[in-house]
Amino acid sequence: MTNPNPLDQPLENDISAQLKERKAGFGKTTVVLGVAALAIVAFVGGVFVQKSFGSTQTPTRQNAAGRQFPGGNGTPPSGAQQRPNGGFGRGTVGTVDHVDGTTVYVKTQNGQVVKVSTSDSTKVEITSEGKLTDLKAGQQVVVQGQAGQDGTVNGQTITQRPTTG
């Protein structure tokens, strides 16, 4: 008798039927790993975008004393866009030069005088709410309002700053 070849013998437990029963699609583990990989890629992408386009400086808020520039001394940063006659952004910072009727003249740190027009809706704040007549020459103020074409600021709020030094 010859020894039969085991490969020629039929299998008792044919796995082809089991393979056909296997469901198509992704398993739970595959889905969880895919979501984790996407989250990591999104985070790393965000880091690179922030490095490329993000600001390196933290924005500063205007505090109660009316200082609107970093350092708190009323000096605009070197990159601040200057308006005509020394105003910056939506207003100006400086010292009251004089008040003429409803117009306040503010001398900025660079020596220019900015004309500030006011109206009945302009708030003047001096520790508490005040009036235009409360503003005196030599006082530090922060003016908020829109600058016109000629450089005149339409004053919406004038805040007296506390005296320093």
Side-chain angles (χ1 to χ4, degrees), residues 26 35 47 55 61 64 69 74 96 101 116 119 124-125 146 162 164:
F26 299 110
V35 169
V47 168
S55 174
R61 287 185 13 208
F69 300 115
V96 174
V116 179
S119 66
V124 177
E125 299 171 355
Q146 199 66 28
T164 56

Side-chain angles (χ1 to χ4, degrees), residues 4-138:
N5 185 352
L7 295 177
D8 291 336
Q9 301 292 325
L11 295 175
E12 292 178 15
N13 295 327
D14 188 12
I15 63 169
S16 59
Q18 292 176 354
L19 290 174
K20 287 181 184 177
E21 291 177 15
R22 173 80 174 133
K23 295 179 183 176
F26 299 110
K28 288 181 182 178
T29 306
T30 305
V31 171
V32 169
L33 288 174
V35 169
L38 282 174
I40 291 170
V41 167
F43 177 76
V44 171
V47 168
F48 283 117
V49 168
Q50 175 64 26
K51 277 186 170 182
S52 298
F53 300 108
S55 174
T56 58
Q57 296 180 353
T58 333
T60 58
R61 287 185 13 208
Q62 181 175 347
N63 66 17
R67 295 178 182 110
Q68 69 185 68
F69 300 115
N73 60 4
T75 305
S78 59
Q81 186 176 14
Q82 189 168 359
R83 299 275 187 190
N85 296 330
F88 290 91
R90 292 189 53 198
T92 191
V93 176
T95 305
V96 174
D97 187 65
H98 66 281
V99 178
D100 183 15
T102 61
T103 304
V104 180
Y105 294 86
V106 177
K107 184 180 275 188
T108 63
Q109 191 164 5
N110 64 5
Q112 292 182 313
V113 176
V114 177
K115 178 180 174 183
V116 179
S117 64
T118 64
S119 66
D120 292 338
S121 64
T122 301
K123 286 194 282 181
V124 177
E125 299 171 355
I126 304 171
T127 309
S128 60
E129 192 151 332
K131 299 177 185 165
L132 285 177
T133 56
D134 295 327
L135 297 175
K136 304 294 179 214

